[in-house]
Amino acid sequence: MPSVRVHADPAKAAVAVAGIIADLIRRGRPDGRKVVLGLATGSTPLPLYRELIRLHRQEGLSFSNVLTFNLDEYEGLAPDHPQSYRRYMDENLFSQIDLPREQTHVPDGTSDDSEAVCRAFERAISDAGGIDLQVLGLGRTGHIGFNEPPSPRESRTRRVVLDEMTRKDNSVFFGDLAAVPRAALTMGVSTILAARRIELLAFGAGKADIVRRSLSERPGPGCPATWLQEHPACTFHLDAASAAQSAS
Ligand code: GLP
């Protein structure tokens, strides 16, 4: 079962998770290879990225020995599209730390051959020696990355059709529901579960019901985040509002 940490507020949770990431980077990998981070987008990890930038600027945390893999990308959005996840990562983290661009990976949502993109993405993760720490958010459908229900345990990086609830939730960033892509490329459930440790962040009353379901329902494809119950080193970082429906 995931451990649950209820923080005083999202900013404190961000500091805690950034501290875990900084420790991992400073310790380095036992095999001497680059530390591999799995990263998430959405509004939830923004305070975490701000704290990592602060650690870089004020406490000398270097990302030069880090590789990153992002969970997902919208289909059809060019890397410089204002709502692409590549652009989000460039603006909110990569451009503000010492992480060379060639050490960052976001699936290419513009290729005609999405299967080849997904296969290459999986290969790159495995060539890097697997993900040391995966940051996750949580969608109200129970999605992790863009693994919408139903997403089987054994799913790998692939093209998925987005749930209408997800499109509606994300339309705030696009300004218009019609502008939200209908499909995306995402790491699969088993890609995520292969990470050595997972730090999930979910804040606010709007996430309370899906947090409760993720922690209490039997693992299954209908609520993909329930698969996290099968991971040996997963922590849910919550605030009082998102934890409100989960009995402790
Ligand atoms: C998005 C992303 C997910 C994210 C989730 C929650 O659509 N694909 O990786 O975790 O939905 O988003 P937010 O953090 O904005 O609530």
Side-chain angles (χ1 to χ4, degrees):
M1 264 319 250
S3 334
V4 175
R5 279 181 71 180
V6 182
H7 301 266
D9 55 49
K12 293 222 169 50
V15 169
V17 176
I20 294 168
I21 292 173
D23 280 351
L24 188 74
I25 294 173
R26 288 188 173 121
R27 261 201 320 273
R29 227 172 147 153
D31 61 8
R33 300 181 69 187
K34 289 190 172 60
V35 170
V36 182
L37 301 179
L39 299 177
T41 49
S43 49
T44 307
L46 287 171
L48 167 64
Y49 297 149
R50 280 197 290 273
E51 176 63 11
L52 288 175
I53 294 164
R54 192 196 67 76
L55 288 172
H56 170 65
R57 289 186 180 153
Q58 296 180 11
E59 298 184 24
L61 179 67
S62 173
F63 291 80
S64 58
N65 202 32
V66 169
L67 290 178
T68 67
F69 289 89
N70 263 80
L71 284 165
D72 47 14
E73 179 59 286
Y74 288 109
E75 184 177 74
L77 296 196
D80 62 349
H81 185 284
Q83 295 310 327
S84 82
Y85 286 163
R86 160 55 75 180
R87 170 109 173 234
Y88 168 108
M89 291 309 304
D90 286 346
E91 284 181 355
N92 293 302
L93 184 64
F94 299 158
S95 65
Q96 303 187 60
I97 56 176
D98 61 337
L99 176 64
R101 189 181 172 87
E102 59 276 15
Q103 290 171 212
T104 69
H105 305 81
V106 182
D108 175 6
T110 61
S111 169
D112 291 336
D113 191 350
S114 59
E115 277 185 33
V117 169
C118 293
R119 266 198 311 274
F121 199 74
E122 287 278 339
R123 202 176 319 117
I125 293 173
S126 112
D127 288 351
I131 293 172
D132 293 301
L133 184 151
Q134 177 68 54
V135 176
L136 286 183
L138 178 63
R140 289 196 306 134
T141 60
H143 72 226
I144 46 176
F146 266 140
N147 289 282
E148 300 283 23
S151 282
R153 166 79 173 75
E154 60 278 8
S155 53
R156 307 297 303 195
T157 304
R158 69 202 187 289
R159 177 183 186 272
V160 289
V161 172
L162 298 179
D163 194 283
E164 279 311 297
M165 185 194 276
T166 301
R167 292 188 66 241
K168 229 163 118 201
D169 283 351
N170 289 358
S171 66
V172 292
F173 303 111
F174 286 81
D176 174 17
L177 182 60
V180 184
R182 296 186 177 277
L185 305 185
T186 182
M187 283 187 201
V189 173
S190 74
T191 320
I192 293 169
L193 291 183
R196 293 182 185 89
R197 83 187 266 180
I198 296 176
E199 309 296 332
L200 179 142
L201 293 85
F203 308 123
K207 296 283 170 78
D209 183 55
I210 197 61
V211 165
R212 176 190 58 75
R213 290 183 56 203
S214 304
L215 292 170
S216 63
E217 285 184 7
R218 204 161 139 235
C223 178
T226 55
W227 293 121
L228 297 170
Q229 294 173 30
E230 299 186 350
H231 194 279
C234 174
T235 302
F236 276 42
H237 297 269
L238 308 176
D239 63 0
S242 63
Q245 293 184 30
S246 310
S248 54

